[in-house]
Amino acid sequence: MKIKTLCLTALLCLTVLQSPAQSEETARVKIATSEGDIVAELYPAKAPKTVANFLQYVKDKHYDNTVFHRVISSFMVQGGGYDAQYKERKTRPPVVHEGRESLTAGLKNQIGTLAMARTNDPQSATAQFFINVADNAFLDPTLIPEGDPVKRFEYQGRVHENVPRANLLNAPQHFGYTVFGKVVSGMDVVQKIKSTPTGAGGPFPSDVPKTPVLINSIILLKTP
C-alpha cells in the first residue's frame, strides 16, 4: 500500500493511504475476434508469472488467427491453442501455477474473468485461456488451512484430520485454475460466442463452434 502526504499548510500535513485497488498497475489487451472486439484487463500484481507469460504470447503474435475451439454456453469459452484448421500452435514451457496467489488476491472464476486452461496436470498451462461465462466457483483453488500437519480439513463433504500439509498443497484436485484478468468491455461479444451452435470439429468430438470463431489478433493496449 502506497502512502501519499498532502500538505495543507506549512505546519499541517494530511497522510492519505492509497488502497491496493487505487495503486495497482494493470495491463489491457484487445482480443479482436470474428464476432467483435473484447477488451480485457490483466492483473500482474496478483498473478505476475501468468500475466507475463500471456503477454509474451501476445508479443509473439501467437494468438493471431487462432480459434475458440471449445465453447460451452453454461460454462466457458476457450481458445488460443489451435488455428482454423485445428493445427495446434507450438508453445513455450508451462508457466508456474499461481491459482492460490490470485485467489488470495481476490480473483475468482466468475463471469467475465480470464483464466488459464490446462490438462489434469496443474503445472501444464501454456498459452490456452478461457473466459468464464458463468460463476464457476468449483474451478477456484482450494485454500489449505494453516498448520503442519493440518488438524482438520474438509473437502467435498469429507473430513480429513492430521494430514501432512504438503499432501494437501500438492494434491492435483486442490489446485483449481489461475484467474489473471477480466473482460472490461465486449462482454456482449463473449455472449455471442457462447451462444454459437457447436458440434464435432477437428480432433474434438464436441463443443466446437460449427462456424469457426476466429481470434484475429490480440494486441496490447496498455502496459502495466
Side-chain angles (χ1 to χ4, degrees), residues 4-199:
K4 283 191 175 181
T5 300
L6 305 178
C7 293
L8 303 180
T9 69
L11 299 177
L12 177 63
C13 291
L14 176 64
T15 299
V16 178
L17 298 181
Q18 284 187 300
S19 70
Q22 291 175 316
S23 60
E24 181 183 0
E25 294 182 343
T26 61
R28 284 198 176 192
V29 294
K30 182 175 74 173
I31 305 169
T33 82
S34 54
E35 300 296 329
D37 293 345
I38 302 164
V39 176
E41 189 169 74
L42 312 181
Y43 303 105
K46 297 176 180 178
K49 294 182 177 64
T50 305
V51 171
N53 174 71
F54 184 84
L55 291 179
Q56 186 61 55
Y57 280 113
V58 170
K59 181 180 179 180
D60 294 342
K61 300 187 181 300
H62 170 94
Y63 297 114
D64 293 10
N65 302 311
T66 59
V67 295
F68 283 99
H69 66 276
R70 186 177 180 222
V71 171
I72 303 176
S73 62
S74 61
F75 182 30
M76 55 90 231
V77 300
Q78 179 177 333
Y82 297 85
D83 65 20
Q85 287 71 48
Y86 304 106
K87 180 179 179 181
E88 190 169 7
R89 290 282 172 91
K90 185 177 180 181
T91 62
R92 301 190 309 275
V95 63
V96 173
H97 194 284
E98 295 180 301
R100 291 192 180 106
E101 292 86 347
S102 67
L103 177 62
T104 301
L107 299 180
K108 299 180 180 182
N109 282 277
Q110 297 174 324
I111 293 176
T113 56
L114 277 69
M116 293 304 298
R118 60 173 177 82
T119 67
N120 290 332
D121 177 0
Q123 304 294 347
S124 63
T126 53
Q128 290 187 42
F129 66 96
F130 61 90
I131 303 173
N132 286 291
V133 297
D135 289 336
N136 296 315
F138 71 97
L139 297 182
D140 290 337
T142 302
L143 298 180
I144 307 303
E146 295 297 327
D148 193 8
V150 175
K151 292 184 179 180
R152 188 178 188 279
F153 176 71
E154 185 173 349
Y155 181 73
Q156 294 185 344
R158 295 183 60 187
V159 175
H160 307 269
E161 296 181 344
N162 298 315
V163 181
R165 185 174 180 78
N167 289 9
L168 297 176
L169 287 173
N170 296 322
Q173 68 269 27
H174 296 161
F175 275 84
Y177 292 77
T178 302
V179 176
F180 65 98
K182 72 174 181 180
V183 174
V184 293
S185 72
M187 199 61 198
D188 59 322
V189 176
V190 178
Q191 297 293 339
K192 287 171 63 178
I193 295 171
K194 83 162 191 175
S195 300
T196 189
T198 60

